[in-house]
Amino acid sequence: MTEEDRGGSPADGRSAPLWHGRFGEAPAAELWAFTISLPFDKRLALDDLRGSRAHVRGLERAELLSAAETAAILDGLDQVEVEFTSGTFAFAPTDEDVHTAVERRVTELAGPAGAKLHTGRSRNDQVATDLRMYTKRELLDIAVRVTALQQVLFDRAREAGETYLPGYTHLQRAQPVLLAHHLLAHGWALARDVDRLLDARRRTDVSPLGAGALAGSSLPLDPAFTARELGFARVFDNSLDAVSDRDFVAESLFCLSLLGVHLSRIAEEVVIWASDEVAFLRLDDRYSTGSSMMPQKKNPDIAELTRAKAARLIGHLTGLLAMLKGLPLSYNRDLQEDKEPFFDAIDQVRLALSAMSGLLATVRFDRRRMQEAADSPYLAATDLAEWLVRRGTPFRDAHALVGSLVRDSLERNIDLTELVAAHPALGDEAAALCAPGVAVTRRTTRGAGGPVEVARQLQKFQQQLESQSGRLRET
Ligand code: ARG
């Protein structure tokens, strides 16, 4: 927001903030510039209007507003909504935050009744209410977008058929697995993210409205009524807790951070797989970038930025926790600092999800490169040891025997398959395990990376997507 949008500062002496009564002088320009939150909490305008409507109905119900006054304020709120959604809302220099901007404008529109809008309410319960409504909506939206990314992974996994590649530990080739298995591994991590987001949302679903500044009210207000009006599942139990609790922001930031970490791990693999050295995939032109100097370059910038966004999200989470840790009850202005990191986290995760979804939907996997890398006979070493185990050799001895053949093969530069075929304890039947494409088919236990189990897993993942979508629709 520019200085112009904000309309300067009340220090100009043109008008006074809403709390002017107690003060003899207008706030200093430096105080104003430092303390206002309007530039970022404008984002809560529609939630603030919703909260205000519920509050007004509660005031009418408590006979603190007449029907005519209620109608005048509700009309004013409708008009403010039109101004916000059409972008014509004019901010005043005294608008400290979105709450004061709305109240000031409603009062201009509704006449004397407007002066009753803030009865029994504080910005402390108001901002907590607005932010919880915002959080509920955004967490659900992020969960829907995560599900869309999981669908991309699922589609790519299904398309991948029986394509296999080396599975790695320590970034060293370990045992072959299907590409589908690898892609779904990320899909399951994202499933936990969706579960976590919805879980955090459930704990966010508590209305703080009616807690007032910190201690409730002497007026006959009914927090349960406004909670119902606003679609909250529950009402606060303790007014001090209601205005000072930002657990829901911390938890949301954790969910977003861990989601960011999962996206970052996918992104890191994209970077590695896109390298000329590995070349397991090629990025689509639309989802990669070039170099201003080197004409041959095709860079995985989306993946790299996704990695970096995770760092930023973690920073937001730790910053918020540090801000909260020293706060006495109840509201303290420090709490205003919850919004920028949180809003940024929501924005960045949303951007990363759509960029990574597009990238993964369009990437071309190089089946030949992957399979060639997995066809090295060394990747069948575990299968050779297990072949011996089935014939009665203790695993430790089998491991040592195959290990010594691997060493021999490397030192003497002889194909492992030949050594296996020639070994008296192994022979041709065991050597057949080293043939291309064989070892992957032998990963047959539950949840394993071979074709039979992956087919079952694909079904299970599809069910997961269906039940997840059902849960999202019902939320
Ligand atoms: N803008 C504040 C916030 O975001 C809400 C206002 C509460 N201010 C106050 N002085 N009690 O937390």
Side-chain angles (χ1 to χ4, degrees), residues 249-276:
V249 181
E251 250 193 273
S252 300
L253 278 174
F254 173 73
C255 295
L256 295 171
S257 298
L258 190 51
L259 168 57
V261 166
H262 292 150
L263 295 178
S264 176
R265 292 178 73 169
I266 299 175
E268 171 67 0
E269 288 187 340
V270 168
V271 172
I272 294 172
W273 288 13
S275 70
D276 291 330

PDB file of all heavy atoms in Angstrom, residues 249-276:
ATOM      1  N   VAL A 249      -2.303 -20.228  14.396  1.00  0.00           N
ATOM      2  CA  VAL A 249      -1.373 -19.679  13.398  1.00  0.00           C
ATOM      3  C   VAL A 249      -0.069 -20.487  13.424  1.00  0.00           C
ATOM      4  O   VAL A 249       0.466 -20.856  12.374  1.00  0.00           O
ATOM      5  CB  VAL A 249      -1.077 -18.189  13.653  1.00  0.00           C
ATOM      6  CG1 VAL A 249      -0.127 -17.635  12.597  1.00  0.00           C
ATOM      7  CG2 VAL A 249      -2.368 -17.380  13.677  1.00  0.00           C
ATOM      8  N   ALA A 250       0.401 -20.784  14.637  1.00  0.00           N
ATOM      9  CA  ALA A 250       1.643 -21.556  14.759  1.00  0.00           C
ATOM     10  C   ALA A 250       1.486 -22.927  14.110  1.00  0.00           C
ATOM     11  O   ALA A 250       2.341 -23.384  13.354  1.00  0.00           O
ATOM     12  CB  ALA A 250       2.021 -21.692  16.234  1.00  0.00           C
ATOM     13  N   GLU A 251       0.348 -23.570  14.416  1.00  0.00           N
ATOM     14  CA  GLU A 251       0.118 -24.906  13.858  1.00  0.00           C
ATOM     15  C   GLU A 251      -0.011 -24.857  12.350  1.00  0.00           C
ATOM     16  O   GLU A 251       0.499 -25.728  11.639  1.00  0.00           O
ATOM     17  CB  GLU A 251      -1.201 -25.443  14.416  1.00  0.00           C
ATOM     18  CG  GLU A 251      -1.024 -26.564  15.387  1.00  0.00           C
ATOM     19  CD  GLU A 251      -2.343 -27.261  15.676  1.00  0.00           C
ATOM     20  OE1 GLU A 251      -3.058 -26.796  16.583  1.00  0.00           O
ATOM     21  OE2 GLU A 251      -2.650 -28.247  15.005  1.00  0.00           O
ATOM     22  N   SER A 252      -0.724 -23.844  11.878  1.00  0.00           N
ATOM     23  CA  SER A 252      -0.868 -23.707  10.418  1.00  0.00           C
ATOM     24  C   SER A 252       0.499 -23.498   9.784  1.00  0.00           C
ATOM     25  O   SER A 252       0.804 -24.087   8.745  1.00  0.00           O
ATOM     26  CB  SER A 252      -1.773 -22.520  10.074  1.00  0.00           C
ATOM     27  OG  SER A 252      -3.047 -22.712  10.636  1.00  0.00           O
ATOM     28  N   LEU A 253       1.313 -22.656  10.408  1.00  0.00           N
ATOM     29  CA  LEU A 253       2.651 -22.418   9.849  1.00  0.00           C
ATOM     30  C   LEU A 253       3.491 -23.692   9.879  1.00  0.00           C
ATOM     31  O   LEU A 253       4.283 -23.935   8.974  1.00  0.00           O
ATOM     32  CB  LEU A 253       3.364 -21.299  10.612  1.00  0.00           C
ATOM     33  CG  LEU A 253       2.995 -19.874  10.193  1.00  0.00           C
ATOM     34  CD1 LEU A 253       3.657 -18.856  11.108  1.00  0.00           C
ATOM     35  CD2 LEU A 253       3.392 -19.597   8.743  1.00  0.00           C
ATOM     36  N   PHE A 254       3.305 -24.501  10.916  1.00  0.00           N
ATOM     37  CA  PHE A 254       4.031 -25.777  10.931  1.00  0.00           C
ATOM     38  C   PHE A 254       3.559 -26.678   9.788  1.00  0.00           C
ATOM     39  O   PHE A 254       4.372 -27.262   9.063  1.00  0.00           O
ATOM     40  CB  PHE A 254       3.882 -26.519  12.269  1.00  0.00           C
ATOM     41  CG  PHE A 254       4.496 -27.880  12.191  1.00  0.00           C
ATOM     42  CD1 PHE A 254       5.878 -28.025  12.169  1.00  0.00           C
ATOM     43  CD2 PHE A 254       3.708 -29.009  12.045  1.00  0.00           C
ATOM     44  CE1 PHE A 254       6.466 -29.278  12.020  1.00  0.00           C
ATOM     45  CE2 PHE A 254       4.294 -30.268  11.898  1.00  0.00           C
ATOM     46  CZ  PHE A 254       5.671 -30.392  11.891  1.00  0.00           C
ATOM     47  N   CYS A 255       2.238 -26.763   9.625  1.00  0.00           N
ATOM     48  CA  CYS A 255       1.696 -27.606   8.539  1.00  0.00           C
ATOM     49  C   CYS A 255       2.216 -27.115   7.189  1.00  0.00           C
ATOM     50  O   CYS A 255       2.593 -27.912   6.329  1.00  0.00           O
ATOM     51  CB  CYS A 255       0.173 -27.570   8.526  1.00  0.00           C
ATOM     52  SG  CYS A 255      -0.576 -28.281   9.991  1.00  0.00           S
ATOM     53  N   LEU A 256       2.234 -25.806   7.014  1.00  0.00           N
ATOM     54  CA  LEU A 256       2.710 -25.244   5.742  1.00  0.00           C
ATOM     55  C   LEU A 256       4.208 -25.471   5.586  1.00  0.00           C
ATOM     56  O   LEU A 256       4.695 -25.743   4.486  1.00  0.00           O
ATOM     57  CB  LEU A 256       2.382 -23.750   5.668  1.00  0.00           C
ATOM     58  CG  LEU A 256       0.887 -23.404   5.635  1.00  0.00           C
ATOM     59  CD1 LEU A 256       0.686 -21.897   5.788  1.00  0.00           C
ATOM     60  CD2 LEU A 256       0.215 -23.899   4.360  1.00  0.00           C
ATOM     61  N   SER A 257       4.943 -25.376   6.698  1.00  0.00           N
ATOM     62  CA  SER A 257       6.389 -25.591   6.628  1.00  0.00           C
ATOM     63  C   SER A 257       6.707 -27.033   6.261  1.00  0.00           C
ATOM     64  O   SER A 257       7.576 -27.293   5.426  1.00  0.00           O
ATOM     65  CB  SER A 257       7.056 -25.271   7.966  1.00  0.00           C
ATOM     66  OG  SER A 257       6.869 -23.927   8.292  1.00  0.00           O
ATOM     67  N   LEU A 258       6.005 -27.955   6.889  1.00  0.00           N
ATOM     68  CA  LEU A 258       6.296 -29.365   6.585  1.00  0.00           C
ATOM     69  C   LEU A 258       5.871 -29.699   5.150  1.00  0.00           C
ATOM     70  O   LEU A 258       6.578 -30.408   4.436  1.00  0.00           O
ATOM     71  CB  LEU A 258       5.606 -30.284   7.595  1.00  0.00           C
ATOM     72  CG  LEU A 258       6.013 -31.758   7.539  1.00  0.00           C
ATOM     73  CD1 LEU A 258       7.523 -31.956   7.582  1.00  0.00           C
ATOM     74  CD2 LEU A 258       5.372 -32.540   8.671  1.00  0.00           C
ATOM     75  N   LEU A 259       4.747 -29.143   4.747  1.00  0.00           N
ATOM     76  CA  LEU A 259       4.347 -29.279   3.345  1.00  0.00           C
ATOM     77  C   LEU A 259       5.441 -28.696   2.447  1.00  0.00           C
ATOM     78  O   LEU A 259       5.829 -29.293   1.436  1.00  0.00           O
ATOM     79  CB  LEU A 259       3.003 -28.555   3.139  1.00  0.00           C
ATOM     80  CG  LEU A 259       2.516 -28.306   1.717  1.00  0.00           C
ATOM     81  CD1 LEU A 259       2.407 -29.610   0.929  1.00  0.00           C
ATOM     82  CD2 LEU A 259       1.155 -27.592   1.739  1.00  0.00           C
ATOM     83  N   GLY A 260       5.955 -27.527   2.853  1.00  0.00           N
ATOM     84  CA  GLY A 260       7.041 -26.896   2.088  1.00  0.00           C
ATOM     85  C   GLY A 260       8.279 -27.787   2.039  1.00  0.00           C
ATOM     86  O   GLY A 260       8.955 -27.873   1.009  1.00  0.00           O
ATOM     87  N   VAL A 261       8.554 -28.463   3.143  1.00  0.00           N
ATOM     88  CA  VAL A 261       9.704 -29.382   3.181  1.00  0.00           C
ATOM     89  C   VAL A 261       9.465 -30.550   2.216  1.00  0.00           C
ATOM     90  O   VAL A 261      10.363 -30.961   1.478  1.00  0.00           O
ATOM     91  CB  VAL A 261       9.937 -29.880   4.626  1.00  0.00           C
ATOM     92  CG1 VAL A 261      10.882 -31.080   4.654  1.00  0.00           C
ATOM     93  CG2 VAL A 261      10.500 -28.752   5.493  1.00  0.00           C
ATOM     94  N   HIS A 262       8.249 -31.057   2.181  1.00  0.00           N
ATOM     95  CA  HIS A 262       7.945 -32.153   1.244  1.00  0.00           C
ATOM     96  C   HIS A 262       8.095 -31.684  -0.202  1.00  0.00           C
ATOM     97  O   HIS A 262       8.656 -32.393  -1.041  1.00  0.00           O
ATOM     98  CB  HIS A 262       6.529 -32.692   1.485  1.00  0.00           C
ATOM     99  CG  HIS A 262       6.395 -33.410   2.793  1.00  0.00           C
ATOM    100  ND1 HIS A 262       5.230 -33.461   3.517  1.00  0.00           N
ATOM    101  CD2 HIS A 262       7.308 -34.104   3.515  1.00  0.00           C
ATOM    102  CE1 HIS A 262       5.425 -34.168   4.623  1.00  0.00           C
ATOM    103  NE2 HIS A 262       6.682 -34.555   4.645  1.00  0.00           N
ATOM    104  N   LEU A 263       7.596 -30.491  -0.467  1.00  0.00           N
ATOM    105  CA  LEU A 263       7.731 -29.966  -1.831  1.00  0.00           C
ATOM    106  C   LEU A 263       9.201 -29.767  -2.171  1.00  0.00           C
ATOM    107  O   LEU A 263       9.641 -30.006  -3.294  1.00  0.00           O
ATOM    108  CB  LEU A 263       6.979 -28.630  -1.972  1.00  0.00           C
ATOM    109  CG  LEU A 263       5.458 -28.688  -1.806  1.00  0.00           C
ATOM    110  CD1 LEU A 263       4.858 -27.279  -1.916  1.00  0.00           C
ATOM    111  CD2 LEU A 263       4.830 -29.599  -2.857  1.00  0.00           C
ATOM    112  N   SER A 264       9.948 -29.336  -1.175  1.00  0.00           N
ATOM    113  CA  SER A 264      11.374 -29.090  -1.383  1.00  0.00           C
ATOM    114  C   SER A 264      12.119 -30.391  -1.681  1.00  0.00           C
ATOM    115  O   SER A 264      13.051 -30.419  -2.486  1.00  0.00           O
ATOM    116  CB  SER A 264      11.938 -28.417  -0.129  1.00  0.00           C
ATOM    117  OG  SER A 264      13.319 -28.245  -0.249  1.00  0.00           O
ATOM    118  N   ARG A 265      11.699 -31.459  -1.043  1.00  0.00           N
ATOM    119  CA  ARG A 265      12.377 -32.737  -1.294  1.00  0.00           C
ATOM    120  C   ARG A 265      12.046 -33.244  -2.693  1.00  0.00           C
ATOM    121  O   ARG A 265      12.905 -33.814  -3.374  1.00  0.00           O
ATOM    122  CB  ARG A 265      11.991 -33.753  -0.217  1.00  0.00           C
ATOM    123  CG  ARG A 265      12.561 -33.358   1.135  1.00  0.00           C
ATOM    124  CD  ARG A 265      12.171 -34.304   2.245  1.00  0.00           C
ATOM    125  NE  ARG A 265      12.887 -35.569   2.120  1.00  0.00           N
ATOM    126  CZ  ARG A 265      12.893 -36.506   3.069  1.00  0.00           C
ATOM    127  NH1 ARG A 265      12.230 -36.309   4.202  1.00  0.00           N
ATOM    128  NH2 ARG A 265      13.550 -37.626   2.902  1.00  0.00           N
ATOM    129  N   ILE A 266      10.826 -33.044  -3.130  1.00  0.00           N
ATOM    130  CA  ILE A 266      10.488 -33.393  -4.516  1.00  0.00           C
ATOM    131  C   ILE A 266      11.340 -32.532  -5.450  1.00  0.00           C
ATOM    132  O   ILE A 266      11.940 -33.008  -6.414  1.00  0.00           O
ATOM    133  CB  ILE A 266       8.983 -33.143  -4.806  1.00  0.00           C
ATOM    134  CG1 ILE A 266       8.102 -34.000  -3.894  1.00  0.00           C
ATOM    135  CG2 ILE A 266       8.684 -33.415  -6.278  1.00  0.00           C
ATOM    136  CD1 ILE A 266       6.594 -33.721  -4.020  1.00  0.00           C
ATOM    137  N   ALA A 267      11.398 -31.247  -5.115  1.00  0.00           N
ATOM    138  CA  ALA A 267      12.120 -30.292  -5.957  1.00  0.00           C
ATOM    139  C   ALA A 267      13.596 -30.666  -6.064  1.00  0.00           C
ATOM    140  O   ALA A 267      14.197 -30.604  -7.142  1.00  0.00           O
ATOM    141  CB  ALA A 267      11.966 -28.886  -5.384  1.00  0.00           C
ATOM    142  N   GLU A 268      14.170 -31.066  -4.944  1.00  0.00           N
ATOM    143  CA  GLU A 268      15.588 -31.448  -4.948  1.00  0.00           C
ATOM    144  C   GLU A 268      15.820 -32.619  -5.908  1.00  0.00           C
ATOM    145  O   GLU A 268      16.817 -32.652  -6.636  1.00  0.00           O
ATOM    146  CB  GLU A 268      16.014 -31.808  -3.520  1.00  0.00           C
ATOM    147  CG  GLU A 268      17.379 -32.433  -3.387  1.00  0.00           C
ATOM    148  CD  GLU A 268      18.540 -31.509  -3.730  1.00  0.00           C
ATOM    149  OE1 GLU A 268      18.304 -30.353  -4.086  1.00  0.00           O
ATOM    150  OE2 GLU A 268      19.687 -31.979  -3.659  1.00  0.00           O
ATOM    151  N   GLU A 269      14.888 -33.557  -5.915  1.00  0.00           N
ATOM    152  CA  GLU A 269      15.048 -34.683  -6.845  1.00  0.00           C
ATOM    153  C   GLU A 269      14.888 -34.238  -8.286  1.00  0.00           C
ATOM    154  O   GLU A 269      15.567 -34.755  -9.177  1.00  0.00           O
ATOM    155  CB  GLU A 269      14.055 -35.793  -6.498  1.00  0.00           C
ATOM    156  CG  GLU A 269      14.478 -36.496  -5.223  1.00  0.00           C
ATOM    157  CD  GLU A 269      13.660 -37.712  -4.890  1.00  0.00           C
ATOM    158  OE1 GLU A 269      12.532 -37.841  -5.414  1.00  0.00           O
ATOM    159  OE2 GLU A 269      14.140 -38.512  -4.079  1.00  0.00           O
ATOM    160  N   VAL A 270      13.995 -33.289  -8.505  1.00  0.00           N
ATOM    161  CA  VAL A 270      13.845 -32.768  -9.868  1.00  0.00           C
ATOM    162  C   VAL A 270      15.167 -32.147 -10.321  1.00  0.00           C
ATOM    163  O   VAL A 270      15.626 -32.374 -11.446  1.00  0.00           O
ATOM    164  CB  VAL A 270      12.692 -31.740  -9.944  1.00  0.00           C
ATOM    165  CG1 VAL A 270      12.716 -30.995 -11.268  1.00  0.00           C
ATOM    166  CG2 VAL A 270      11.345 -32.429  -9.746  1.00  0.00           C
ATOM    167  N   VAL A 271      15.790 -31.382  -9.436  1.00  0.00           N
ATOM    168  CA  VAL A 271      17.070 -30.747  -9.783  1.00  0.00           C
ATOM    169  C   VAL A 271      18.110 -31.820 -10.131  1.00  0.00           C
ATOM    170  O   VAL A 271      18.801 -31.736 -11.156  1.00  0.00           O
ATOM    171  CB  VAL A 271      17.580 -29.859  -8.614  1.00  0.00           C
ATOM    172  CG1 VAL A 271      18.988 -29.350  -8.889  1.00  0.00           C
ATOM    173  CG2 VAL A 271      16.630 -28.690  -8.384  1.00  0.00           C
ATOM    174  N   ILE A 272      18.192 -32.844  -9.296  1.00  0.00           N
ATOM    175  CA  ILE A 272      19.184 -33.907  -9.540  1.00  0.00           C
ATOM    176  C   ILE A 272      18.848 -34.667 -10.829  1.00  0.00           C
ATOM    177  O   ILE A 272      19.711 -34.890 -11.680  1.00  0.00           O
ATOM    178  CB  ILE A 272      19.236 -34.879  -8.335  1.00  0.00           C
ATOM    179  CG1 ILE A 272      19.785 -34.154  -7.099  1.00  0.00           C
ATOM    180  CG2 ILE A 272      20.100 -36.098  -8.646  1.00  0.00           C
ATOM    181  CD1 ILE A 272      19.697 -34.962  -5.815  1.00  0.00           C
ATOM    182  N   TRP A 273      17.600 -35.021 -10.970  1.00  0.00           N
ATOM    183  CA  TRP A 273      17.191 -35.823 -12.130  1.00  0.00           C
ATOM    184  C   TRP A 273      17.309 -35.036 -13.442  1.00  0.00           C
ATOM    185  O   TRP A 273      17.459 -35.628 -14.506  1.00  0.00           O
ATOM    186  CB  TRP A 273      15.757 -36.340 -11.955  1.00  0.00           C
ATOM    187  CG  TRP A 273      15.625 -37.438 -10.932  1.00  0.00           C
ATOM    188  CD1 TRP A 273      16.567 -37.820 -10.009  1.00  0.00           C
ATOM    189  CD2 TRP A 273      14.502 -38.297 -10.730  1.00  0.00           C
ATOM    190  NE1 TRP A 273      16.092 -38.854  -9.240  1.00  0.00           N
ATOM    191  CE2 TRP A 273      14.832 -39.173  -9.652  1.00  0.00           C
ATOM    192  CE3 TRP A 273      13.250 -38.418 -11.332  1.00  0.00           C
ATOM    193  CZ2 TRP A 273      13.942 -40.148  -9.188  1.00  0.00           C
ATOM    194  CZ3 TRP A 273      12.368 -39.385 -10.871  1.00  0.00           C
ATOM    195  CH2 TRP A 273      12.711 -40.232  -9.810  1.00  0.00           C
ATOM    196  N   ALA A 274      17.216 -33.713 -13.344  1.00  0.00           N
ATOM    197  CA  ALA A 274      17.311 -32.888 -14.561  1.00  0.00           C
ATOM    198  C   ALA A 274      18.766 -32.620 -14.947  1.00  0.00           C
ATOM    199  O   ALA A 274      19.035 -32.108 -16.031  1.00  0.00           O
ATOM    200  CB  ALA A 274      16.569 -31.571 -14.355  1.00  0.00           C
ATOM    201  N   SER A 275      19.705 -32.956 -14.070  1.00  0.00           N
ATOM    202  CA  SER A 275      21.112 -32.653 -14.378  1.00  0.00           C
ATOM    203  C   SER A 275      21.575 -33.510 -15.551  1.00  0.00           C
ATOM    204  O   SER A 275      21.060 -34.605 -15.794  1.00  0.00           O
ATOM    205  CB  SER A 275      21.987 -32.938 -13.152  1.00  0.00           C
ATOM    206  OG  SER A 275      22.050 -34.336 -12.932  1.00  0.00           O
ATOM    207  N   ASP A 276      22.556 -33.034 -16.300  1.00  0.00           N
ATOM    208  CA  ASP A 276      23.082 -33.818 -17.424  1.00  0.00           C
ATOM    209  C   ASP A 276      23.673 -35.127 -16.930  1.00  0.00           C
ATOM    210  O   ASP A 276      23.662 -36.130 -17.630  1.00  0.00           O
ATOM    211  CB  ASP A 276      24.158 -33.016 -18.164  1.00  0.00           C
ATOM    212  CG  ASP A 276      23.542 -31.833 -18.906  1.00  0.00           C
ATOM    213  OD1 ASP A 276      22.363 -31.946 -19.314  1.00  0.00           O
ATOM    214  OD2 ASP A 276      24.219 -30.811 -19.061  1.00  0.00           O
TER     215      ASP A 276
END
